[in-house]
Amino acid sequence: MKDGKIKNNWLLTELQRYRLNLMPLLIFECLYYFVGSLIILPVTKFLFNTLLSALNLNFVDQSNFFQVLKNPIVVAVSIVILLFFAYYILVEYVAIITCYNESRNGRRVYIWPLIRFATKRSLQIALPRN
Amino acid sequence: MILYVIIVIPFTNFGLASNFIQNLSVPDFIMDYINANPYYLAGFWVLVVFLILKVIQFFFVFHFFTLDKPDYPEASAASKKMIRHRYWRTIGIYIVVALILALIFVVLGLLLVLMVTLIEKTTMVQNLIAGSNLKFRSLLLLGAMAAFLSIGGTIVSIINMPLILAGLSACFYHNCQLDQIAISDSPLVLPPEKPFWIRRRQILGLIIVLAALISFKTISLSAIYNADSSAILSQGTLVAGHRGDSTDTPENTAAAKSR
């Protein structure tokens, strides 16, 4: 009877297991949000705006959109920025899933090893197949 | 994978987007261009539906990528295979988790607004509309509500995606059991020899990071409230000009200025 009940409530049972590493996950998310929205985004925006100003492209709208897209420097810098953003976003997914996986197996996670693992695993995004 | 992570997920806005880039929208001038032509518009909506279906098919791609196959084509094929027979059930679980979360956040927000409205019996709103001076108590309440909403907004944007991903992770492990897919249970993250982050320090760390976030938010809110002085302090005097009606005449000409 009890086993049957647990099987029927698999969603809740699984979710309850994830509570083990809630604190490191919250700290990671706060750090991630802090670095992402207060350091990476403003710095990238500033660099991109400076680049556009240096190329005499002070604004982007319908009239000059394709002109901006045709500029090789803008395209190269945009690709680098997109790659970096994708890497940074992947770090978050990997860290959260790792946290849940370790909680599921009853192991405690520490914040710095978690960040190290996530940053290392996310580097796989640079593989040509990815 | 790069396009999937950075464009498809934020664009379809399934609540799975990173709190770094929460949603992505097409710029207005591109949407105007698409809206002007019915064929482009139809093509755009076909693309949106296609992307939504793709996101659902690849719900478990990050799980396979992290736990089993660090290769995107293999991980996406595995995710597609896993979801094939459980398409609607997975969508159902996603919707239930997302709706419960949305309901909790909306109810908390409404309770806060209701509390302030009941305390002040709407006089504060009337005074605000009339532009008259507010009482000290009203100002205090308004400030507290703004602070709670700011803190609440930050917390919601931090925890929303991990909670939705928790629902999907539960689904993933359940499906692994049903399909008898073996996911290695060896530790992914090895504990440090001398654990620095004991529980008390973790709580302290969380409080420090949250406090830093809230102070930055408060500073940015004050900067928005007093935009002119903060712009002068940070950048010097701002010199701005209008280029005139650049649609019908060449911009920055006398003709453009006169229209």
PDB file of all heavy atoms in Angstrom, chain A residues 27 29-30 32 85 92-93 100-101 104 107 111-113 121 129-130, chain B residues 1 6 16 18-19 65-66 71-72 162 170 173 185 189 197 202 209:
ATOM      1  N   ILE A  27      22.540  30.056  -3.108  1.00  0.00           N
ATOM      2  CA  ILE A  27      23.732  30.918  -3.127  1.00  0.00           C
ATOM      3  C   ILE A  27      24.266  31.010  -4.550  1.00  0.00           C
ATOM      4  O   ILE A  27      24.616  32.093  -5.035  1.00  0.00           O
ATOM      5  CB  ILE A  27      24.826  30.371  -2.186  1.00  0.00           C
ATOM      6  CG1 ILE A  27      24.323  30.405  -0.747  1.00  0.00           C
ATOM      7  CG2 ILE A  27      26.106  31.198  -2.290  1.00  0.00           C
ATOM      8  CD1 ILE A  27      25.277  29.796   0.247  1.00  0.00           C
ATOM      9  N   GLU A  29      22.601  30.673  -7.341  1.00  0.00           N
ATOM     10  CA  GLU A  29      21.696  31.487  -8.167  1.00  0.00           C
ATOM     11  C   GLU A  29      21.884  32.982  -7.886  1.00  0.00           C
ATOM     12  O   GLU A  29      21.868  33.782  -8.812  1.00  0.00           O
ATOM     13  CB  GLU A  29      20.244  31.076  -7.900  1.00  0.00           C
ATOM     14  CG  GLU A  29      19.826  29.812  -8.618  1.00  0.00           C
ATOM     15  CD  GLU A  29      19.861  29.940 -10.139  1.00  0.00           C
ATOM     16  OE1 GLU A  29      19.423  30.956 -10.671  1.00  0.00           O
ATOM     17  OE2 GLU A  29      20.349  29.000 -10.794  1.00  0.00           O
ATOM     18  N   CYS A  30      22.052  33.316  -6.601  1.00  0.00           N
ATOM     19  CA  CYS A  30      22.251  34.729  -6.245  1.00  0.00           C
ATOM     20  C   CYS A  30      23.554  35.250  -6.851  1.00  0.00           C
ATOM     21  O   CYS A  30      23.584  36.340  -7.438  1.00  0.00           O
ATOM     22  CB  CYS A  30      22.287  34.913  -4.732  1.00  0.00           C
ATOM     23  SG  CYS A  30      20.704  34.715  -3.973  1.00  0.00           S
ATOM     24  N   TYR A  32      25.128  34.049  -9.398  1.00  0.00           N
ATOM     25  CA  TYR A  32      24.991  34.023 -10.852  1.00  0.00           C
ATOM     26  C   TYR A  32      24.244  35.274 -11.336  1.00  0.00           C
ATOM     27  O   TYR A  32      24.658  35.944 -12.277  1.00  0.00           O
ATOM     28  CB  TYR A  32      24.231  32.752 -11.233  1.00  0.00           C
ATOM     29  CG  TYR A  32      24.030  32.573 -12.709  1.00  0.00           C
ATOM     30  CD1 TYR A  32      24.987  31.931 -13.480  1.00  0.00           C
ATOM     31  CD2 TYR A  32      22.882  33.037 -13.339  1.00  0.00           C
ATOM     32  CE1 TYR A  32      24.804  31.770 -14.842  1.00  0.00           C
ATOM     33  CE2 TYR A  32      22.701  32.880 -14.693  1.00  0.00           C
ATOM     34  CZ  TYR A  32      23.657  32.243 -15.432  1.00  0.00           C
ATOM     35  OH  TYR A  32      23.470  32.097 -16.773  1.00  0.00           O
ATOM     36  N   PHE A  85      27.789  34.469 -23.928  1.00  0.00           N
ATOM     37  CA  PHE A  85      26.476  34.422 -23.268  1.00  0.00           C
ATOM     38  C   PHE A  85      25.974  32.979 -23.194  1.00  0.00           C
ATOM     39  O   PHE A  85      25.451  32.544 -22.168  1.00  0.00           O
ATOM     40  CB  PHE A  85      25.459  35.286 -24.026  1.00  0.00           C
ATOM     41  CG  PHE A  85      25.516  36.750 -23.682  1.00  0.00           C
ATOM     42  CD1 PHE A  85      26.558  37.268 -22.920  1.00  0.00           C
ATOM     43  CD2 PHE A  85      24.541  37.627 -24.115  1.00  0.00           C
ATOM     44  CE1 PHE A  85      26.627  38.603 -22.611  1.00  0.00           C
ATOM     45  CE2 PHE A  85      24.583  38.971 -23.809  1.00  0.00           C
ATOM     46  CZ  PHE A  85      25.635  39.464 -23.057  1.00  0.00           C
ATOM     47  N   GLU A  92      24.637  27.815 -15.783  1.00  0.00           N
ATOM     48  CA  GLU A  92      23.517  27.774 -14.837  1.00  0.00           C
ATOM     49  C   GLU A  92      22.756  26.449 -14.944  1.00  0.00           C
ATOM     50  O   GLU A  92      22.475  25.806 -13.926  1.00  0.00           O
ATOM     51  CB  GLU A  92      22.563  28.949 -15.086  1.00  0.00           C
ATOM     52  CG  GLU A  92      21.501  29.045 -14.008  1.00  0.00           C
ATOM     53  CD  GLU A  92      20.464  30.116 -14.274  1.00  0.00           C
ATOM     54  OE1 GLU A  92      20.375  30.600 -15.411  1.00  0.00           O
ATOM     55  OE2 GLU A  92      19.730  30.453 -13.331  1.00  0.00           O
ATOM     56  N   TYR A  93      22.433  26.045 -16.173  1.00  0.00           N
ATOM     57  CA  TYR A  93      21.697  24.780 -16.347  1.00  0.00           C
ATOM     58  C   TYR A  93      22.480  23.612 -15.753  1.00  0.00           C
ATOM     59  O   TYR A  93      21.926  22.778 -15.043  1.00  0.00           O
ATOM     60  CB  TYR A  93      21.433  24.504 -17.834  1.00  0.00           C
ATOM     61  CG  TYR A  93      20.412  25.419 -18.458  1.00  0.00           C
ATOM     62  CD1 TYR A  93      20.734  26.232 -19.530  1.00  0.00           C
ATOM     63  CD2 TYR A  93      19.111  25.458 -17.977  1.00  0.00           C
ATOM     64  CE1 TYR A  93      19.801  27.064 -20.110  1.00  0.00           C
ATOM     65  CE2 TYR A  93      18.173  26.299 -18.542  1.00  0.00           C
ATOM     66  CZ  TYR A  93      18.524  27.093 -19.609  1.00  0.00           C
ATOM     67  OH  TYR A  93      17.591  27.923 -20.163  1.00  0.00           O
ATOM     68  N   TYR A 100      20.617  18.955  -8.360  1.00  0.00           N
ATOM     69  CA  TYR A 100      19.488  18.035  -8.196  1.00  0.00           C
ATOM     70  C   TYR A 100      19.963  16.582  -8.233  1.00  0.00           C
ATOM     71  O   TYR A 100      19.479  15.750  -7.468  1.00  0.00           O
ATOM     72  CB  TYR A 100      18.438  18.260  -9.295  1.00  0.00           C
ATOM     73  CG  TYR A 100      17.710  19.585  -9.182  1.00  0.00           C
ATOM     74  CD1 TYR A 100      17.197  20.233 -10.299  1.00  0.00           C
ATOM     75  CD2 TYR A 100      17.526  20.198  -7.942  1.00  0.00           C
ATOM     76  CE1 TYR A 100      16.535  21.443 -10.195  1.00  0.00           C
ATOM     77  CE2 TYR A 100      16.875  21.411  -7.833  1.00  0.00           C
ATOM     78  CZ  TYR A 100      16.381  22.030  -8.965  1.00  0.00           C
ATOM     79  OH  TYR A 100      15.731  23.225  -8.850  1.00  0.00           O
ATOM     80  N   ASN A 101      20.913  16.300  -9.120  1.00  0.00           N
ATOM     81  CA  ASN A 101      21.405  14.922  -9.245  1.00  0.00           C
ATOM     82  C   ASN A 101      22.108  14.478  -7.955  1.00  0.00           C
ATOM     83  O   ASN A 101      21.887  13.378  -7.466  1.00  0.00           O
ATOM     84  CB  ASN A 101      22.367  14.828 -10.433  1.00  0.00           C
ATOM     85  CG  ASN A 101      22.793  13.405 -10.695  1.00  0.00           C
ATOM     86  OD1 ASN A 101      21.967  12.556 -11.024  1.00  0.00           O
ATOM     87  ND2 ASN A 101      24.076  13.124 -10.532  1.00  0.00           N
ATOM     88  N   ARG A 104      19.602  13.950  -5.202  1.00  0.00           N
ATOM     89  CA  ARG A 104      18.880  12.701  -5.448  1.00  0.00           C
ATOM     90  C   ARG A 104      19.678  11.514  -4.926  1.00  0.00           C
ATOM     91  O   ARG A 104      19.127  10.542  -4.445  1.00  0.00           O
ATOM     92  CB  ARG A 104      18.699  12.578  -6.953  1.00  0.00           C
ATOM     93  CG  ARG A 104      17.530  11.806  -7.324  1.00  0.00           C
ATOM     94  CD  ARG A 104      17.289  11.784  -8.776  1.00  0.00           C
ATOM     95  NE  ARG A 104      16.273  10.762  -9.004  1.00  0.00           N
ATOM     96  CZ  ARG A 104      16.564   9.520  -9.242  1.00  0.00           C
ATOM     97  NH1 ARG A 104      17.815   9.140  -9.342  1.00  0.00           N
ATOM     98  NH2 ARG A 104      15.591   8.643  -9.407  1.00  0.00           N
ATOM     99  N   ARG A 107      23.933  13.219  -1.674  1.00  0.00           N
ATOM    100  CA  ARG A 107      25.266  13.787  -1.418  1.00  0.00           C
ATOM    101  C   ARG A 107      25.164  15.308  -1.307  1.00  0.00           C
ATOM    102  O   ARG A 107      24.486  15.938  -2.111  1.00  0.00           O
ATOM    103  CB  ARG A 107      26.219  13.431  -2.574  1.00  0.00           C
ATOM    104  CG  ARG A 107      26.594  11.975  -2.634  1.00  0.00           C
ATOM    105  CD  ARG A 107      27.655  11.764  -3.691  1.00  0.00           C
ATOM    106  NE  ARG A 107      27.129  11.927  -5.019  1.00  0.00           N
ATOM    107  CZ  ARG A 107      26.759  10.927  -5.809  1.00  0.00           C
ATOM    108  NH1 ARG A 107      26.881   9.676  -5.393  1.00  0.00           N
ATOM    109  NH2 ARG A 107      26.284  11.141  -7.007  1.00  0.00           N
ATOM    110  N   ILE A 111      29.656  24.884  -2.697  1.00  0.00           N
ATOM    111  CA  ILE A 111      29.461  25.884  -3.746  1.00  0.00           C
ATOM    112  C   ILE A 111      30.636  25.977  -4.736  1.00  0.00           C
ATOM    113  O   ILE A 111      30.438  25.992  -5.946  1.00  0.00           O
ATOM    114  CB  ILE A 111      29.073  27.261  -3.131  1.00  0.00           C
ATOM    115  CG1 ILE A 111      28.667  28.258  -4.205  1.00  0.00           C
ATOM    116  CG2 ILE A 111      30.147  27.844  -2.265  1.00  0.00           C
ATOM    117  CD1 ILE A 111      27.266  28.101  -4.651  1.00  0.00           C
ATOM    118  N   TRP A 112      31.889  26.021  -4.222  1.00  0.00           N
ATOM    119  CA  TRP A 112      33.020  26.216  -5.146  1.00  0.00           C
ATOM    120  C   TRP A 112      33.270  25.001  -6.033  1.00  0.00           C
ATOM    121  O   TRP A 112      33.473  25.182  -7.244  1.00  0.00           O
ATOM    122  CB  TRP A 112      34.285  26.634  -4.394  1.00  0.00           C
ATOM    123  CG  TRP A 112      34.118  27.986  -3.764  1.00  0.00           C
ATOM    124  CD1 TRP A 112      34.186  28.282  -2.453  1.00  0.00           C
ATOM    125  CD2 TRP A 112      33.783  29.214  -4.436  1.00  0.00           C
ATOM    126  NE1 TRP A 112      33.908  29.609  -2.242  1.00  0.00           N
ATOM    127  CE2 TRP A 112      33.661  30.210  -3.439  1.00  0.00           C
ATOM    128  CE3 TRP A 112      33.553  29.573  -5.759  1.00  0.00           C
ATOM    129  CZ2 TRP A 112      33.349  31.522  -3.739  1.00  0.00           C
ATOM    130  CZ3 TRP A 112      33.225  30.893  -6.054  1.00  0.00           C
ATOM    131  CH2 TRP A 112      33.127  31.847  -5.051  1.00  0.00           C
ATOM    132  N   PRO A 113      33.225  23.766  -5.480  1.00  0.00           N
ATOM    133  CA  PRO A 113      33.329  22.617  -6.387  1.00  0.00           C
ATOM    134  C   PRO A 113      32.208  22.582  -7.432  1.00  0.00           C
ATOM    135  O   PRO A 113      32.442  22.199  -8.578  1.00  0.00           O
ATOM    136  CB  PRO A 113      33.230  21.405  -5.451  1.00  0.00           C
ATOM    137  CG  PRO A 113      33.657  21.908  -4.128  1.00  0.00           C
ATOM    138  CD  PRO A 113      33.234  23.334  -4.068  1.00  0.00           C
ATOM    139  N   ARG A 121      32.369  21.722 -17.262  1.00  0.00           N
ATOM    140  CA  ARG A 121      31.495  20.925 -18.141  1.00  0.00           C
ATOM    141  C   ARG A 121      30.916  21.788 -19.269  1.00  0.00           C
ATOM    142  O   ARG A 121      30.760  21.337 -20.396  1.00  0.00           O
ATOM    143  CB  ARG A 121      30.382  20.284 -17.305  1.00  0.00           C
ATOM    144  CG  ARG A 121      29.342  19.468 -18.070  1.00  0.00           C
ATOM    145  CD  ARG A 121      29.937  18.411 -18.955  1.00  0.00           C
ATOM    146  NE  ARG A 121      30.504  17.295 -18.236  1.00  0.00           N
ATOM    147  CZ  ARG A 121      29.929  16.116 -18.063  1.00  0.00           C
ATOM    148  NH1 ARG A 121      28.759  15.894 -18.559  1.00  0.00           N
ATOM    149  NH2 ARG A 121      30.536  15.158 -17.407  1.00  0.00           N
ATOM    150  N   ARG A 129      31.022  20.127 -32.696  1.00  0.00           N
ATOM    151  CA  ARG A 129      29.729  19.441 -32.848  1.00  0.00           C
ATOM    152  C   ARG A 129      28.609  20.151 -32.080  1.00  0.00           C
ATOM    153  O   ARG A 129      27.436  19.997 -32.387  1.00  0.00           O
ATOM    154  CB  ARG A 129      29.850  17.999 -32.337  1.00  0.00           C
ATOM    155  CG  ARG A 129      30.280  17.033 -33.406  1.00  0.00           C
ATOM    156  CD  ARG A 129      30.591  15.697 -32.791  1.00  0.00           C
ATOM    157  NE  ARG A 129      29.376  14.994 -32.385  1.00  0.00           N
ATOM    158  CZ  ARG A 129      28.630  14.284 -33.219  1.00  0.00           C
ATOM    159  NH1 ARG A 129      28.964  14.170 -34.480  1.00  0.00           N
ATOM    160  NH2 ARG A 129      27.567  13.649 -32.798  1.00  0.00           N
ATOM    161  N   ASN A 130      28.983  20.893 -31.075  1.00  0.00           N
ATOM    162  CA  ASN A 130      27.970  21.591 -30.270  1.00  0.00           C
ATOM    163  C   ASN A 130      27.655  22.974 -30.838  1.00  0.00           C
ATOM    164  O   ASN A 130      26.869  23.703 -30.263  1.00  0.00           O
ATOM    165  CB  ASN A 130      28.426  21.693 -28.814  1.00  0.00           C
ATOM    166  CG  ASN A 130      28.398  20.336 -28.156  1.00  0.00           C
ATOM    167  OD1 ASN A 130      27.682  19.439 -28.594  1.00  0.00           O
ATOM    168  ND2 ASN A 130      29.198  20.151 -27.124  1.00  0.00           N
TER     169      ASN A 130
ATOM    170  N   MET B   1      23.614  24.228 -30.568  1.00  0.00           N
ATOM    171  CA  MET B   1      23.325  24.357 -29.143  1.00  0.00           C
ATOM    172  C   MET B   1      23.336  25.823 -28.698  1.00  0.00           C
ATOM    173  O   MET B   1      22.505  26.239 -27.895  1.00  0.00           O
ATOM    174  CB  MET B   1      24.358  23.583 -28.347  1.00  0.00           C
ATOM    175  CG  MET B   1      24.063  23.612 -26.864  1.00  0.00           C
ATOM    176  SD  MET B   1      25.091  22.505 -25.964  1.00  0.00           S
ATOM    177  CE  MET B   1      24.068  22.149 -24.582  1.00  0.00           C
ATOM    178  N   ILE B   6      20.640  30.437 -26.516  1.00  0.00           N
ATOM    179  CA  ILE B   6      20.619  31.897 -26.430  1.00  0.00           C
ATOM    180  C   ILE B   6      19.434  32.544 -27.140  1.00  0.00           C
ATOM    181  O   ILE B   6      19.025  33.649 -26.803  1.00  0.00           O
ATOM    182  CB  ILE B   6      21.957  32.468 -26.930  1.00  0.00           C
ATOM    183  CG1 ILE B   6      22.219  33.784 -26.246  1.00  0.00           C
ATOM    184  CG2 ILE B   6      22.035  32.610 -28.414  1.00  0.00           C
ATOM    185  CD1 ILE B   6      23.637  34.069 -26.102  1.00  0.00           C
ATOM    186  N   LEU B  16      11.943  28.657 -18.769  1.00  0.00           N
ATOM    187  CA  LEU B  16      13.178  27.883 -18.634  1.00  0.00           C
ATOM    188  C   LEU B  16      14.390  28.743 -18.938  1.00  0.00           C
ATOM    189  O   LEU B  16      15.521  28.270 -18.843  1.00  0.00           O
ATOM    190  CB  LEU B  16      13.168  26.714 -19.634  1.00  0.00           C
ATOM    191  CG  LEU B  16      12.481  25.435 -19.186  1.00  0.00           C
ATOM    192  CD1 LEU B  16      12.499  24.422 -20.285  1.00  0.00           C
ATOM    193  CD2 LEU B  16      13.184  24.876 -17.964  1.00  0.00           C
ATOM    194  N   SER B  18      17.338  31.352 -18.658  1.00  0.00           N
ATOM    195  CA  SER B  18      18.223  31.701 -17.557  1.00  0.00           C
ATOM    196  C   SER B  18      17.798  33.036 -16.960  1.00  0.00           C
ATOM    197  O   SER B  18      17.258  33.889 -17.664  1.00  0.00           O
ATOM    198  CB  SER B  18      19.628  31.811 -18.127  1.00  0.00           C
ATOM    199  OG  SER B  18      20.432  32.550 -17.297  1.00  0.00           O
ATOM    200  N   ASN B  19      18.056  33.237 -15.651  1.00  0.00           N
ATOM    201  CA  ASN B  19      17.685  34.540 -15.083  1.00  0.00           C
ATOM    202  C   ASN B  19      18.602  35.650 -15.593  1.00  0.00           C
ATOM    203  O   ASN B  19      18.395  36.822 -15.332  1.00  0.00           O
ATOM    204  CB  ASN B  19      17.613  34.504 -13.549  1.00  0.00           C
ATOM    205  CG  ASN B  19      18.946  34.288 -12.884  1.00  0.00           C
ATOM    206  OD1 ASN B  19      19.965  34.784 -13.356  1.00  0.00           O
ATOM    207  ND2 ASN B  19      18.950  33.549 -11.787  1.00  0.00           N
ATOM    208  N   PHE B  65      23.020  16.218 -21.365  1.00  0.00           N
ATOM    209  CA  PHE B  65      24.307  16.899 -21.579  1.00  0.00           C
ATOM    210  C   PHE B  65      25.139  16.882 -20.294  1.00  0.00           C
ATOM    211  O   PHE B  65      26.331  16.615 -20.324  1.00  0.00           O
ATOM    212  CB  PHE B  65      24.044  18.344 -22.024  1.00  0.00           C
ATOM    213  CG  PHE B  65      25.290  19.153 -22.241  1.00  0.00           C
ATOM    214  CD1 PHE B  65      25.981  19.086 -23.441  1.00  0.00           C
ATOM    215  CD2 PHE B  65      25.784  19.981 -21.245  1.00  0.00           C
ATOM    216  CE1 PHE B  65      27.142  19.828 -23.645  1.00  0.00           C
ATOM    217  CE2 PHE B  65      26.936  20.725 -21.437  1.00  0.00           C
ATOM    218  CZ  PHE B  65      27.615  20.641 -22.640  1.00  0.00           C
ATOM    219  N   THR B  66      24.501  17.138 -19.159  1.00  0.00           N
ATOM    220  CA  THR B  66      25.234  17.233 -17.893  1.00  0.00           C
ATOM    221  C   THR B  66      25.579  15.857 -17.320  1.00  0.00           C
ATOM    222  O   THR B  66      26.693  15.652 -16.841  1.00  0.00           O
ATOM    223  CB  THR B  66      24.375  17.990 -16.844  1.00  0.00           C
ATOM    224  OG1 THR B  66      23.959  19.213 -17.419  1.00  0.00           O
ATOM    225  CG2 THR B  66      25.151  18.273 -15.573  1.00  0.00           C
ATOM    226  N   ASP B  71      27.592  15.975 -25.530  1.00  0.00           N
ATOM    227  CA  ASP B  71      27.633  16.175 -26.972  1.00  0.00           C
ATOM    228  C   ASP B  71      26.203  16.511 -27.395  1.00  0.00           C
ATOM    229  O   ASP B  71      25.294  15.690 -27.215  1.00  0.00           O
ATOM    230  CB  ASP B  71      28.104  14.859 -27.601  1.00  0.00           C
ATOM    231  CG  ASP B  71      28.261  14.958 -29.100  1.00  0.00           C
ATOM    232  OD1 ASP B  71      27.228  15.002 -29.797  1.00  0.00           O
ATOM    233  OD2 ASP B  71      29.390  14.992 -29.561  1.00  0.00           O
ATOM    234  N   TYR B  72      25.994  17.717 -27.906  1.00  0.00           N
ATOM    235  CA  TYR B  72      24.632  18.198 -28.128  1.00  0.00           C
ATOM    236  C   TYR B  72      23.799  17.323 -29.072  1.00  0.00           C
ATOM    237  O   TYR B  72      22.648  16.993 -28.730  1.00  0.00           O
ATOM    238  CB  TYR B  72      24.650  19.647 -28.622  1.00  0.00           C
ATOM    239  CG  TYR B  72      23.283  20.209 -28.815  1.00  0.00           C
ATOM    240  CD1 TYR B  72      22.462  20.457 -27.721  1.00  0.00           C
ATOM    241  CD2 TYR B  72      22.785  20.457 -30.090  1.00  0.00           C
ATOM    242  CE1 TYR B  72      21.191  20.945 -27.888  1.00  0.00           C
ATOM    243  CE2 TYR B  72      21.506  20.947 -30.262  1.00  0.00           C
ATOM    244  CZ  TYR B  72      20.715  21.190 -29.162  1.00  0.00           C
ATOM    245  OH  TYR B  72      19.454  21.668 -29.328  1.00  0.00           O
ATOM    246  N   PRO B 162      14.937  27.590 -11.582  1.00  0.00           N
ATOM    247  CA  PRO B 162      15.324  26.350 -10.896  1.00  0.00           C
ATOM    248  C   PRO B 162      14.124  25.512 -10.451  1.00  0.00           C
ATOM    249  O   PRO B 162      14.191  24.292 -10.485  1.00  0.00           O
ATOM    250  CB  PRO B 162      16.117  26.835  -9.678  1.00  0.00           C
ATOM    251  CG  PRO B 162      16.621  28.161 -10.061  1.00  0.00           C
ATOM    252  CD  PRO B 162      15.606  28.751 -10.959  1.00  0.00           C
ATOM    253  N   ALA B 170      12.471  15.955 -12.103  1.00  0.00           N
ATOM    254  CA  ALA B 170      11.724  14.834 -11.516  1.00  0.00           C
ATOM    255  C   ALA B 170      11.152  13.957 -12.619  1.00  0.00           C
ATOM    256  O   ALA B 170      11.225  12.726 -12.562  1.00  0.00           O
ATOM    257  CB  ALA B 170      10.604  15.385 -10.634  1.00  0.00           C
ATOM    258  N   TYR B 173      14.041  11.820 -14.261  1.00  0.00           N
ATOM    259  CA  TYR B 173      14.475  10.629 -13.504  1.00  0.00           C
ATOM    260  C   TYR B 173      13.387   9.547 -13.528  1.00  0.00           C
ATOM    261  O   TYR B 173      13.695   8.365 -13.588  1.00  0.00           O
ATOM    262  CB  TYR B 173      14.838  11.009 -12.069  1.00  0.00           C
ATOM    263  CG  TYR B 173      16.118  11.804 -12.003  1.00  0.00           C
ATOM    264  CD1 TYR B 173      16.122  13.132 -11.590  1.00  0.00           C
ATOM    265  CD2 TYR B 173      17.335  11.243 -12.385  1.00  0.00           C
ATOM    266  CE1 TYR B 173      17.291  13.864 -11.548  1.00  0.00           C
ATOM    267  CE2 TYR B 173      18.505  11.975 -12.347  1.00  0.00           C
ATOM    268  CZ  TYR B 173      18.477  13.292 -11.931  1.00  0.00           C
ATOM    269  OH  TYR B 173      19.643  14.025 -11.905  1.00  0.00           O
ATOM    270  N   ASP B 185      25.591   6.959 -11.073  1.00  0.00           N
ATOM    271  CA  ASP B 185      25.357   7.605  -9.775  1.00  0.00           C
ATOM    272  C   ASP B 185      26.671   7.926  -9.061  1.00  0.00           C
ATOM    273  O   ASP B 185      26.690   8.182  -7.865  1.00  0.00           O
ATOM    274  CB  ASP B 185      24.429   6.758  -8.892  1.00  0.00           C
ATOM    275  CG  ASP B 185      24.999   5.376  -8.620  1.00  0.00           C
ATOM    276  OD1 ASP B 185      26.044   5.056  -9.213  1.00  0.00           O
ATOM    277  OD2 ASP B 185      24.392   4.620  -7.826  1.00  0.00           O
ATOM    278  N   VAL B 189      30.395  16.094  -8.299  1.00  0.00           N
ATOM    279  CA  VAL B 189      31.120  17.155  -7.603  1.00  0.00           C
ATOM    280  C   VAL B 189      31.742  16.559  -6.346  1.00  0.00           C
ATOM    281  O   VAL B 189      31.012  16.128  -5.444  1.00  0.00           O
ATOM    282  CB  VAL B 189      30.156  18.299  -7.217  1.00  0.00           C
ATOM    283  CG1 VAL B 189      30.910  19.438  -6.584  1.00  0.00           C
ATOM    284  CG2 VAL B 189      29.402  18.785  -8.427  1.00  0.00           C
ATOM    285  N   TRP B 197      32.421  25.815   3.357  1.00  0.00           N
ATOM    286  CA  TRP B 197      31.038  26.277   3.362  1.00  0.00           C
ATOM    287  C   TRP B 197      30.179  25.413   4.277  1.00  0.00           C
ATOM    288  O   TRP B 197      29.305  24.699   3.820  1.00  0.00           O
ATOM    289  CB  TRP B 197      30.487  26.288   1.944  1.00  0.00           C
ATOM    290  CG  TRP B 197      31.099  27.376   1.149  1.00  0.00           C
ATOM    291  CD1 TRP B 197      32.160  27.275   0.314  1.00  0.00           C
ATOM    292  CD2 TRP B 197      30.723  28.744   1.161  1.00  0.00           C
ATOM    293  NE1 TRP B 197      32.463  28.491  -0.206  1.00  0.00           N
ATOM    294  CE2 TRP B 197      31.617  29.417   0.295  1.00  0.00           C
ATOM    295  CE3 TRP B 197      29.735  29.473   1.825  1.00  0.00           C
ATOM    296  CZ2 TRP B 197      31.529  30.779   0.078  1.00  0.00           C
ATOM    297  CZ3 TRP B 197      29.661  30.818   1.594  1.00  0.00           C
ATOM    298  CH2 TRP B 197      30.547  31.466   0.731  1.00  0.00           C
ATOM    299  N   GLN B 202      27.149  29.210   4.930  1.00  0.00           N
ATOM    300  CA  GLN B 202      26.317  29.256   3.725  1.00  0.00           C
ATOM    301  C   GLN B 202      25.191  30.266   3.910  1.00  0.00           C
ATOM    302  O   GLN B 202      24.914  31.072   3.020  1.00  0.00           O
ATOM    303  CB  GLN B 202      25.720  27.880   3.443  1.00  0.00           C
ATOM    304  CG  GLN B 202      26.716  26.933   2.808  1.00  0.00           C
ATOM    305  CD  GLN B 202      26.081  25.636   2.378  1.00  0.00           C
ATOM    306  OE1 GLN B 202      24.975  25.320   2.756  1.00  0.00           O
ATOM    307  NE2 GLN B 202      26.796  24.884   1.582  1.00  0.00           N
ATOM    308  N   VAL B 209      25.088  38.063  -0.166  1.00  0.00           N
ATOM    309  CA  VAL B 209      24.830  38.218  -1.601  1.00  0.00           C
ATOM    310  C   VAL B 209      23.465  38.868  -1.840  1.00  0.00           C
ATOM    311  O   VAL B 209      23.324  39.765  -2.671  1.00  0.00           O
ATOM    312  CB  VAL B 209      24.929  36.852  -2.327  1.00  0.00           C
ATOM    313  CG1 VAL B 209      24.580  36.994  -3.790  1.00  0.00           C
ATOM    314  CG2 VAL B 209      26.312  36.267  -2.190  1.00  0.00           C
TER     315      VAL B 209
END
